[in-house]
Amino acid sequence: MLTINPKDVSVPVIHHYLQGAVAPRPIAFASTVDKDGNVNLSPFSFFNLFGTKPPTLIFSPNRRVRDATNKHTLENVQEVDEVVINMVDYTMVEQMSLASCEYPKGTNEFVKAGFTEVPSQLVKPPRVGESKAVFECKVKQIISLGEEGGAANLIICEVILAHFSEDILDENGRIDQRKTDWVARMGGDWYARASGDALFEIPKPSTQRGIGVDSIPDFIKTNPLFTGNELGRLGNIEKLPEVEEIERFKNENWEEDFIQLAKKMLVEGKVKDAWLALLAMEG
């Protein structure tokens, strides 16, 4: 493996590796205002959700790598402690990218990038009308982690009002991931699109403990036909099937290739049936 000590390389070099590996990263498309009411709109991919009680988002307008100067977003929230975080989907990604240009202070990127300003209800900065999920936030704390280029400025925000477009909701008013088309940042000029075949489900571990990969019999665990992901799914079962179930399954499927049947069942999320096939093979 390539091993890098951040102290031994330049900031642009470690910046490249960090952004290329810690990815994809969601995008905080942040709208702010300065003390004179001038609007700024800028995207930041050093961003995520960090709590739900209270609902907490954190993003970081890092100091510019080339000259260690601060970005207008940071200056604005230091003057007016409010921000609107607008989520970015594929329909607006090119406009979002345009808004990232370093326009002179006082420039309204809503206008430059062709976005619609929508008045917020509880904070001064406007919302992006084209965004499908929007969070009006109060800035609770700003933490500076350095004075050099690339240093982080963590902006800790509490969500005080949230807005969601109805076209990404299901019949119960919950977000349907299949109706979303979020984009995320990778390294360099690359983005990721979370939609279509890129979406997949993994059952969450239940409230009971899974048996774990260490409890899987060696004849399965050491079989090169099974991937780490498949072993992880097998290890997520709470208990193995009973002997009577295994015998019944074996008698009903005696003509099957049990290995291939188990792999098929894992793909379909039928973990217990996969176990029945594997244990029937052992018998």
Side-chain angles (χ1 to χ4, degrees):
M1 295 185 72
L2 173 65
T3 301
I4 295 176
N5 185 331
K7 296 179 180 178
D8 296 336
V9 297
S10 67
V11 173
V13 168
I14 193 62
H15 184 82
H16 163 81
Y17 283 105
L18 288 171
Q19 288 199 321
V22 185
R25 301 180 306 281
I27 301 167
F29 201 19
S31 49
T32 58
V33 296
D34 65 16
K35 64 181 186 302
D36 298 319
N38 296 307
V39 174
N40 180 269
L41 179 64
S42 187
F44 300 94
S45 69
F46 292 169
F47 161 65
N48 220 308
L49 167 68
F50 286 86
T52 52
K53 186 66 176 180
T56 303
L57 306 175
I58 302 178
F59 72 102
S60 178
N62 290 8
R63 286 180 176 270
R64 295 183 179 91
V65 171
R66 66 175 181 277
D67 59 10
T69 56
N70 283 324
K71 298 181 179 178
H72 300 145
T73 298
L74 176 63
E75 296 171 351
N76 285 359
V77 297
Q78 289 171 334
E79 295 177 1
V80 178
D81 60 351
E82 299 175 343
V83 61
V84 176
I85 294 178
N86 308 272
M87 302 308 294
V88 179
D89 72 359
Y90 188 74
T91 64
M92 56 189 286
V93 66
E94 294 279 357
Q95 290 172 274
M96 178 276 300
S97 179
L98 177 58
S100 70
C101 291
E102 292 187 10
Y103 293 110
K105 185 171 176 59
T107 301
N108 186 336
E109 287 84 1
F110 276 88
V111 177
K112 283 291 185 183
F115 285 114
T116 304
E117 281 191 45
V118 176
S120 295
Q121 296 181 29
L122 300 181
V123 298
K124 295 182 180 67
R127 295 151 46 192
V128 174
E130 289 75 11
S131 179
K132 301 294 180 68
V134 179
F135 304 99
E136 298 185 26
C137 303
K138 290 288 291 184
V139 175
K140 307 301 289 185
Q141 189 177 3
I142 301 172
I143 302 175
S144 173
L145 297 182
E147 302 296 324
E148 298 181 353
N153 294 288
L154 304 183
I155 300 179
I156 303 174
C157 309
E158 179 180 343
V159 177
I160 59 175
L161 199 64
H163 310 271
F164 304 100
S165 175
E166 291 190 3
D167 62 5
I168 65 170
L169 304 179
D170 63 18
E171 62 277 7
N172 299 312
R174 307 291 291 273
I175 293 177
D176 184 341
Q177 296 299 329
R178 295 165 297 182
K179 294 182 178 181
T180 63
D181 198 2
W182 307 126
V183 294
R185 286 290 278 120
M186 306 289 285
D189 292 339
W190 291 93
Y191 289 78
R193 185 177 182 181
S195 63
D197 292 339
L199 294 177
F200 60 94
E201 291 183 281
I202 297 177
K204 289 184 179 180
S206 67
T207 54
Q208 303 298 316
R209 293 186 179 93
I211 64 170
V213 172
D214 58 328
S215 297
I216 297 175
D218 284 342
F219 81 92
I220 302 171
K221 193 162 51 179
T222 60
N223 190 320
L225 292 177
F226 290 102
T227 67
N229 280 336
E230 289 170 330
L231 293 177
R233 183 163 286 198
L234 287 169
N236 194 31
I237 199 168
E238 294 175 27
K239 64 177 183 177
L240 297 180
E242 301 292 338
V243 174
E244 294 79 7
E245 295 178 285
I246 298 168
E247 287 300 319
R248 183 165 59 250
F249 185 92
K250 183 177 181 179
N251 292 333
E252 292 173 353
N253 298 278
W254 63 273
E255 294 182 327
E256 297 282 352
D257 179 326
F258 286 128
I259 287 283
Q260 295 305 317
L261 181 59
K263 290 179 71 70
K264 176 176 181 291
M265 293 301 172
L266 286 173
V267 170
E268 295 175 359
K270 300 175 181 177
V271 180
K272 184 176 180 179
D273 287 341
W275 269 111
L276 286 169
L278 291 170
L279 296 175
M281 178 182 68
E282 184 186 31

